[in-house]
Amino acid sequence: MQSIARKMREMAQQFFQQRDFGSERETRITLFIQAAKMCNVFVLSKIEMQPFAWEPYKYLHRQLFREMELVTLMNKATSWSTNPYVYAEASNLNLKFWQNADIDGYMQGFFMPDENFYRYLALSHALLSEIRILPILPPTKELNTPFLSSMKEVEEENGRMIQAQIRLLKGMDLPLTYDEKERIIREQRTIVQAAYCDLLESVLQEDEEEEEQQVDITAKKGNAGKANTARKEK
């Protein structure tokens, strides 16, 4: 899956050499990232209702409210599409991720220092580190739109939250061996990479605006050709 994700990123980089985002792509990306962050919000809200060691509580409490803040920021920054099919496809994509990542399994009961909690931390870390939009853009691309500016802020904040996740993943005393921890991290990363590939595949489609522009260009070329033919016949 890692090689597939790398190839999808390379395809996306080539794709955006010639194209901007447009409302449909912005909508697809925002809905997916918001869904990923709301998964964290739903799960992390449990820590507010249970006894929790102070140091990990501080990290997770901070992440909970930063995730909510970033979701609302993206609401304002996105140029939302008017195409209903975009929302239907995005909902299916988000549902597929929710099921593959077994988000429901993390929302039941209290957290305990066990494999399930470590699995959630690994999933959260993968979401923060794997779902990135700025690296698929040209290096010289100016981040001068509300959407791109918000993506920059989201990914910068993700980087800060990742550091806290790493401390928790490395520092928690759990009944797991090193190999078991590494296996869990790989499994969760694979799930997130598959979802990221699905997102990129949906984003790399021609959107409605581009199709209409292509139709207009084709029609104009056709009309110009007919006019040239008519002049020659005269």
Side-chain angles (χ1 to χ4, degrees):
M1 177 52 67
Q2 189 170 358
S3 62
I4 295 174
R6 183 168 56 251
K7 289 179 181 177
M8 286 298 298
R9 283 194 293 268
E10 291 171 355
M11 289 173 58
Q13 288 167 350
Q14 294 175 3
F15 185 86
F16 284 110
Q17 289 287 344
Q18 305 296 330
R19 294 171 177 83
D20 288 323
F21 277 95
S23 61
E24 290 191 9
R25 295 190 185 103
E26 287 190 17
T27 298
R28 291 177 189 276
I29 290 169
T30 294
L31 289 175
F32 182 81
I33 295 178
Q34 285 183 326
K37 291 193 170 301
M38 287 308 297
C39 287
N40 275 330
V41 169
F42 293 145
V43 176
L44 289 174
S45 62
K46 296 196 310 180
I47 68 170
E48 302 298 324
M49 307 298 294
Q50 72 171 93
F52 220 87
W54 178 244
E55 287 301 321
Y57 170 78
K58 284 196 305 181
Y59 294 139
L60 298 176
H61 174 82
R62 187 178 298 119
Q63 181 180 353
L64 167 63
F65 287 94
R66 285 300 287 147
E67 298 281 42
M68 287 193 290
E69 181 182 349
L70 293 171
V71 166
T72 56
L73 177 71
M74 294 174 68
N75 271 339
K76 283 291 188 182
T78 301
S79 176
W80 294 102
S81 172
T82 58
N83 182 356
Y85 293 104
V86 170
Y87 295 89
E89 291 173 0
S91 295
N92 289 334
L93 179 64
N94 292 343
L95 177 60
K96 179 182 177 182
F97 165 68
W98 186 286
Q99 292 172 335
N100 289 343
D102 190 26
I103 301 301
D104 288 339
Y106 303 116
M107 297 175 64
Q108 301 171 15
F110 286 150
F111 276 136
M112 302 293 290
D114 57 13
E115 180 176 337
N116 190 57
F117 184 43
Y118 193 85
R119 189 175 297 277
Y120 165 70
L121 290 177
L123 174 65
S124 180
H125 179 270
L127 287 171
L128 294 172
S129 60
E130 296 291 335
I131 308 300
R132 301 187 62 200
I133 301 303
L134 297 187
I136 66 176
L137 300 179
T140 57
K141 180 77 172 178
E142 292 187 10
L143 309 180
N144 56 0
T145 68
F147 176 74
L148 293 177
S149 175
S150 71
M151 285 296 102
K152 181 175 183 292
E153 183 162 349
V154 166
E155 295 190 8
E156 287 176 348
E157 186 60 35
N158 285 353
R160 286 187 281 271
M161 289 190 286
I162 284 172
Q163 299 307 311
Q165 292 282 354
I166 291 173
R167 284 194 289 271
L168 289 175
L169 287 167
K170 288 185 175 181
M172 289 192 65
D173 184 17
L174 297 172
L176 296 170
T177 66
Y178 174 82
D179 288 341
E180 288 173 331
K181 290 179 178 180
E182 289 299 302
R183 173 183 54 80
I184 290 171
I185 290 172
R186 285 195 304 271
E187 289 172 351
Q188 299 301 76
R189 185 182 297 122
T190 297
I191 290 171
V192 173
Q193 286 176 339
Y196 181 57
C197 288
D198 289 341
L199 171 65
L200 290 183
E201 185 177 357
S202 72
V203 167
L204 300 187
Q205 303 177 48
E206 298 289 341
D207 64 24
E208 266 192 354
E209 295 170 359
E210 290 173 339
E211 289 175 356
E212 290 173 359
Q213 290 171 1
Q214 189 61 41
V215 169
D216 289 343
I217 292 171
T218 303
K220 289 176 182 177
K221 287 181 178 178
N223 292 335
K226 289 178 182 179
N228 290 334
T229 301
R231 282 196 295 269
K232 289 178 181 178
E233 289 176 351
K234 289 181 179 180

